Structures are given as structure tokens and as C-alpha cells.
Amino acid sequence: MTHRSSSERRWIHSLGIAAALLSAARPAAAQPAGPSPTAAAPDGAAPPPGGAAPPAPVAQATARPPPANSAVSPAAAATAEAESALALRIGGGAIVWYYQPFLSGYKPNMQLAFIALRIKATYGRFGVYVHPRIRDTKAAPFFEGTVWIEEAYAWADLVTGETPLTLKIGKIYNQLGLFWDNSFYGNIQMFDGLKLAPEHGLSLEGRFGAEDKAGVRYTAQFFPVDGRTNLSSQDRDTVSIPGARRRYQAIVRGEPFVQLDGATSLKAGVSAEYLQADLPSGPKDVLRGALDTTLTIGKWGLWGEFLYQRGQTVTDFPYAGKPATDTAPAVPGRASAHNYYVLAGTEYTYGRVTARYNFSYGRYADQAVSEWIHEPAVGVALAENLGILTELVLWERSAPEGHSFVDRSLAISLNGRFSHLVTGKE
């Protein structure tokens, strides 16, 4: 097997992670100093500086009431109320990265990864979110072009208060297991299409209990067809196979949580998924299940996940097929229908510096192949909206043929971003 057909391509795939770092799902004390991929939720952006409105002039405060015929008309009042209910936030960012390999035959590279734009418009209980991305080359061979929509959906808050419930319709990240591990380079799960995967369909998201105390968050999603723009590597997910699609994905997730005090929180997650991999050889039924947990104590965070897949989603991994030659017949690829995944990590933030270690593992049992990535990293917050993250990547593979390195490199990413509330209140 060719472990890496192009070092640049693998890094291009992982660049999408860094853009998601614009707003994080963890408490602020546990945030990485570098990019963090949870910006799929645009609500986390901080409001712009500013205080309360200045007091009215004395002349206005002491003036007599206006005559009755000068009262504001109902139409004007409704217009003013509608304008105050509209909120518009625009954000975005850009990523510059440097890749330094430590394997023979691999070449160093540096480039602008992509530019991202985020638009969030809210009107009362309704809203729209659009997140396009652009680069000068394709992010992956199976992408349609150099510009794509990462996420785009409309939502409606069906219930508010202590038990909120939101319905989203459009292109939405799936919620199987842990959303992310705060890395930039990525993990085995992402390269296999299990993380940062936006799909087309519906998502119903809610919570029982108070956010600052204890309760259960839950998600139910249905995606008739995949989103075609996840960050998987070629041949490692259904979306990169010509003519193949993931269909009828149904995901349910429950996440009990408890806020022990202002700086300590614990949450656990249980997820289940069914999908149909529509492969050239015919449809395959696939079941996935995941257990995860996250503990945050002040500026220290710890997380872990176990995920199991039963069912075939690819045709040429972990062994790629070989075309026929003048002297040998074609050799079909070999896939695994029983896969096991582990994801674990920890980080600690001191001032502007965050130290982090991530580990990811994939076992393709039917072919007796395993891969794993050790990924220590240090991030530094250079400014409020600018961070740099340095990661050491040790990606190894064990197979019946022996042990080898898939990648061994240093990755440095510079992430700049902005977010501005144009009008209204959030």
C-alpha cells in the first residue's frame, strides 16, 4: 500500500479543522491557545465592547407629553420592534500553515490554507447561518471546486427557557461522539470521515436542565445524503469513491452533564448511528456506536472516546487495489467491516500558553491492520484574535507486512479571525 500519495494533500485535508477553531465548545479556561475547531456553533462569539446607552438629555426628561395626534402609529411601532429583533453577525478568518516532514521523499510546504466567512442572522426565534470557504486549489480530489459551503442551515427555536429545543435544516455537522479534540493536524477518526463531517438534512437539538447546573443535552439527526465536503483522506471514506454516497444517516446522541462549580464540569456522551453506504458493489448497512467523556477543572481538560463500526463503508482501505498490467491481473482493494477507534487527549493552559497531547487509534480488524497518531503540541495566544499552534505528528501503521510510518512531521499553523456584531442584540 502507498501510505501517502501526496503529503500536501493530506495536510490540505486537515486544514479545514483549524477554521473551526473560531469559537470553542469548552469553557474559556480550557480553551487552546491555537485554533479550535468548534466554530461550527457561531453563537459563541463575544459581543463588541460598549456600555449602556447614555442618559436622555434633561430637556427630554422634563418635557410635557406630546399631543395625542403625535403618538407613534402601530405600523411604525411594529417596524421598530422588528428592527430591534434582527441581529446580524459577520465573522471569518484565514489560516497560514507550514509543514516540515521528517521522512525521506516528503517535501516541506507553506501556504495559505483557506479563507472562511461566517454569517449569522437572527430574527426572534428564527435564524440563518452560512459558512463558505475558499482556497486557490481543491481541498481534496473529490471536492467539486475550490469554493464550497462548509455549513449552511436555517433554524427555529421551538422551545426556549430551561428546556430549549432547536430545529435546524440544511447542511449541518453530524454529532456522532466527541465533536473534536482541539488539534489542528487532525486524528485517525477525521481521516476516516468520522469527525468534522457536514451532512444534508435535519437536526433536532435540545436540553433538559439548567446549563450552569446539571441536565442532559440531546440530539436527533437525519441526513438523506452526505455533504461531500468532509476532511477524510482519499479512499478512507465513502465520499471519495466515485459514484458512492452515504445515505439515510440517522444519529441520536445523549449527553448528561453536571457543572460541579464555576470551574469544574463533567459530561458523558452516548451516540448511535445507522447509515447506508451506497458503494459501486451495492448498498451496505452500517451501524456505529460511541461512548465519550470530558472533564474540565479550571484550566485543565481531559477527554476520551471509544467508537465501534460494524459494516463496510469503503472498498480500497486499508489495502488499495491495483490495476491490471501486461504481466499481472488486477488486484481488488480490501476493506474492513469491523473497526474500532479510540480518541484521548489532555491540555493545560497557563497564561497565553496551552500544552496539549492527543492520541488517536484505529483498528481495522478484518484485515489485522492498526494505525495510531501521537500528537504533542504547544499553542500560544499572540493576541485576542491571533494564535499559533505547533504540533509534532507521529503517525504509525502496523500490518501483517510489518511496521511503518504514515507521517512524521512538524506542523505550525497561524490562525487569524474576527467577529463583529453588525446590528441588533444576541
Side-chain angles (χ1 to χ4, degrees):
M1 169 184 175
T2 300
H3 298 312
R4 178 179 178 139
S5 60
S6 167
S7 60
E8 178 179 353
R9 186 190 71 194
R10 187 178 304 285
W11 274 93
I12 289 174
H13 290 180
S14 59
L15 294 175
I17 308 169
L21 311 184
L22 303 179
S23 72
R26 302 184 192 280
Q31 289 303 311
S36 167
T38 53
D43 304 20
V58 175
Q60 294 182 10
T62 58
R64 290 180 294 176
N69 59 6
S70 66
V72 177
S73 69
T79 300
E81 181 179 356
E83 289 177 350
S84 65
L86 176 65
L88 176 63
R89 177 175 290 278
I90 297 179
I95 308 294
V96 175
W97 63 275
Y98 176 73
Y99 170 72
Q100 177 59 60
F102 302 122
L103 290 175
S104 60
Y106 290 30
K107 302 297 182 181
N109 193 15
M110 182 175 182
Q111 69 177 62
L112 176 67
F114 62 78
I115 297 173
L117 180 65
R118 302 170 186 278
I119 303 172
K120 176 191 172 185
T122 304
Y123 184 83
R125 292 189 175 190
F126 303 93
V128 176
Y129 175 64
V130 181
H131 175 189
R133 294 181 178 179
I134 182 173
R135 353 173 345 103
D136 55 356
T137 59
K138 285 187 178 182
F142 53 86
F143 276 41
E144 295 295 331
T146 60
V147 180
W148 72 98
I149 300 296
E150 184 71 3
E151 279 194 292
Y153 55 83
W155 82 85
D157 291 328
L158 306 180
V159 181
T160 59
E162 289 293 305
T163 58
L165 180 63
T166 299
L167 175 64
K168 298 177 180 178
I169 303 176
K171 190 176 184 182
I172 309 158
Y173 280 124
N174 77 44
Q175 298 295 323
L176 178 69
L178 282 176
F179 185 75
W180 194 237
D181 64 1
N182 287 348
S183 68
F184 168 76
Y185 182 92
N187 46 56
I188 296 293
Q189 290 80 348
M190 184 205 74
F191 290 114
D192 285 3
L194 297 169
K195 301 294 180 186
L196 301 182
E199 323 287 6
H200 293 294
L202 310 174
S203 183
L204 191 65
E205 304 170 12
R207 187 190 75 234
F208 297 112
E211 188 71 62
D212 59 348
K213 295 180 181 179
V216 178
R217 303 181 189 92
Y218 61 90
T219 302
Q221 300 179 309
F222 179 70
F223 304 113
V225 69
D226 61 68
R228 302 286 300 181
T229 56
N230 69 29
L231 301 171
S232 60
S233 291
Q234 183 69 34
D235 298 329
R236 296 182 68 130
D237 185 31
T238 314
V239 299
S240 65
I241 302 173
R245 302 295 295 269
R246 279 185 279 104
R247 302 184 187 278
Y248 313 122
Q249 290 179 258
I251 300 172
V252 292
R253 174 175 171 81
E255 184 183 274
F257 66 91
V258 57
Q259 189 73 33
L260 302 176
D261 57 44
T264 303
S265 65
L266 176 65
K267 64 181 180 179
V270 179
S271 308
E273 176 182 20
Y274 165 81
L275 66 91
Q276 184 183 90
D278 188 4
L279 301 175
S281 59
K284 306 289 186 180
D285 291 327
V286 180
L287 295 175
R288 291 168 174 166
L291 300 174
D292 63 83
T293 185
T294 302
L295 173 65
T296 300
I297 303 176
K299 298 180 180 180
W300 175 65
L302 177 70
W303 54 89
E305 175 194 83
F306 173 78
L307 191 152
Y308 172 68
Q309 173 179 311
R310 188 183 72 183
Q312 182 181 341
T313 55
V314 296
T315 57
D316 285 77
F317 183 81
Y319 288 101
K322 298 179 180 179
T325 65
D326 294 338
T327 59
V331 177
R334 287 184 285 160
S336 173
H338 298 84
N339 302 336
Y340 302 83
Y341 296 91
V342 174
L343 183 65
T346 185
E347 67 181 17
Y348 181 78
T349 299
Y350 182 80
R352 291 177 174 268
V353 179
T354 297
R356 180 185 305 120
Y357 169 76
N358 280 307
F359 172 79
S360 58
Y361 171 86
R363 172 69 175 175
Y364 311 97
D366 294 344
Q367 303 298 334
V369 173
S370 298
E371 291 187 0
W372 60 93
I373 300 177
H374 295 282
E375 197 171 337
V378 175
V380 179
L382 304 176
E384 181 180 1
N385 295 319
L386 184 66
I388 188 169
L389 183 64
T390 301
E391 296 172 298
L392 177 63
V393 178
L394 302 172
W395 185 344
E396 301 177 62
R397 174 185 172 99
S398 176
E401 299 80 18
H403 176 274
S404 61
F405 276 96
V406 179
D407 192 14
R408 187 167 55 185
S409 61
L410 190 69
I412 303 175
S413 56
L414 182 66
N415 174 21
R417 62 270 188 195
F418 74 94
S419 182
H420 177 65
L421 183 63
V422 177
T423 185
K425 296 181 180 180
E426 295 179 330

